[in-house]
Amino acid sequence: MAVFRSGLLVLTTPLASLAPRLAPILTSAARLVNHTLYVHLQPGMSLGGPAQPQSSLVQATFEVLDFITHLYAGADVHRHLDVRVLLTNIGAKSAFLPPLPSSVQNLAHPPEVVLTDFQTLDGSQYNPVKQQLERYATSCYSCCPQLASVLLYPDYGPGERSVESLDVPLPSTIRPASPVARSPKQPVRGYHRGAVGGTFDRLHNAHKVLLSVACILAQEQLVVGVADKDLLKSKLLPELLQPYTERVEHLSEFLVDVKPSLTFDITPLLDPYGPAGSNPSLEFLVVSEETYRGGMAVNRFRLENGLEELALYQIQLLKDPNHTDNEEDKVSSSTFRQRMLGKLLRPPYKRPELPTQLYVIGLTGISGSGKSSVAQRLKGLGAFVIDSDHLGHRAYAPGGPAYQPVVEAFGADILHKDGIINRKVLGSRVFGNKKQLKILTDIVWPIIAKLAREEMNQAVAEGKHVCVIDAALLLEAGWQNMVHEVWTVVIPETEAIRRIVERDGLSEAAAQSRLQSQMSGQQLVDQSHVVLSTLWEPHVTQCQVEKAWALLQKRISQTP
């Protein structure tokens, strides 16, 4: 059987008996689909009769919400799959319930294969059943013209019948704010309009649970707040967050896929309350365990401003069984950003003018980021390290290539009595004076670049294959033109200030002023190929560097 890019999984088994077999079903589907897997719930539907099966409404109960949550949790094992549970035929209890759509729904990625857990008596790939499945799929959704079909039998062999419904309720994952006990078969109430908020960076399965519950509760409009600007500052590795427009694009595509009948208002979330705190037409708010207190604060804010409280629905966090010691134990965007550290983010530069035997890395980072310690770790792994600070000292030294031009430009009063350039005096002349600074950098930067190229030749002579240029001002100086890749070490500004104060004995204000005179971490990352961070314990940094080094060796070996 071929592997397809996108597929549609039609689940016909009653949910209670399907739940324990869900993992093998998803695993079977993952073997056949490698990108987008749409899931359509139609428990109780038969594909064995002569009549064309029709889509019917599935009552939204807490059992259905729990099943959707467990489905996304199970799908997290198959990270290559973008799983989307389609909610078009799932309806909450409501007097204003819209009818089932009569037209075919267009999906962002038209399915190339339709799969089902429907079971034939002998366990065979029975052609009439498959034909019914294909007809049903194409009557509901836009599919590829040459749609293939597969019957999945994940937990029994040929001739075996399926297990009967055990009618065992799924573990509870959705909790309304009301203290009234809920039962699995209890219908979920529908509302006209509601809200949900989050960062929604690299849309993952925990996000999809939050959004799916909100989509089922809302019958007309869903307001989605997407964190931006000041609300992003406290995020882990904010430099690696997707841009707001990109997050909104992925979010919008998912929402329109899963419930096109809703009107979606996606808006920037710029404060902790957002539209949920001020929109009088909203009736509910979906939150996670982590943000439940924030939901309570929204309601207090609404009451203070004469608005009715929102019904709160709290979603249980999805656990990540594969998290490491320094990662969160839940499925989270923070963990995904951590796992990007050391990986290649964009294609390397082609530098035919550099020595063919040498692969050159430009290593940079804000002051206090731990860049020099990363350079030493790379040296320990076999890299030839060029320290631009040392080259600067050589350039400024009496008789060095920059000595005379600098003295002529800034005068003899920048010299110590012994004739050595007093770099503190020189620094005071250029700090805060763009014109004077440009005069200095126009002299010094080309000289240091020339010395670096000489060092590269030395690396080749020593038989080295990787050269690292350790330079805080790599990008400002334009030295990315002589490297294959830019690697940046990032650290939160507050931590960088603490380190500078401790290391250099500066005041916090002086440390902050130093950072403001440099490119920000975000500006550096935007031009980088690999990102590292020294935020955690030294052994974590070492693991990051080793991972980056191993991936680099693989890239170099594949370079023609």
Side-chain angles (χ1 to χ4, degrees), residues 374 377-378 381 532 540-550:
V374 169
R377 294 178 189 279
L378 289 168
L381 293 171
L532 302 164
V540 177
T541 303
Q542 182 65 27
C543 287
Q544 274 181 45
V545 173
E546 289 176 359
K547 169 185 169 183
W549 180 260

Side-chain angles (χ1 to χ4, degrees), residues 388-410 414-416 418-428 430 436-448 451 473 479:
S388 64
D389 281 345
H390 289 171
L391 297 184
H393 285 293
R394 277 174 52 191
Y396 281 113
Y403 181 85
Q404 196 59 40
V406 169
V407 172
E408 289 175 2
F410 293 94
I414 65 167
L415 300 177
H416 285 288
D418 58 6
I420 294 174
I421 292 175
N422 186 332
R423 295 183 71 173
K424 285 189 177 180
V425 172
L426 179 60
S428 67
V430 301
Q436 292 294 302
L437 180 61
K438 187 175 188 308
I439 291 172
L440 179 63
T441 56
D442 283 350
I443 295 170
V444 175
W445 283 350
I447 290 172
I448 296 177
L451 294 175
L473 300 178
W479 294 341

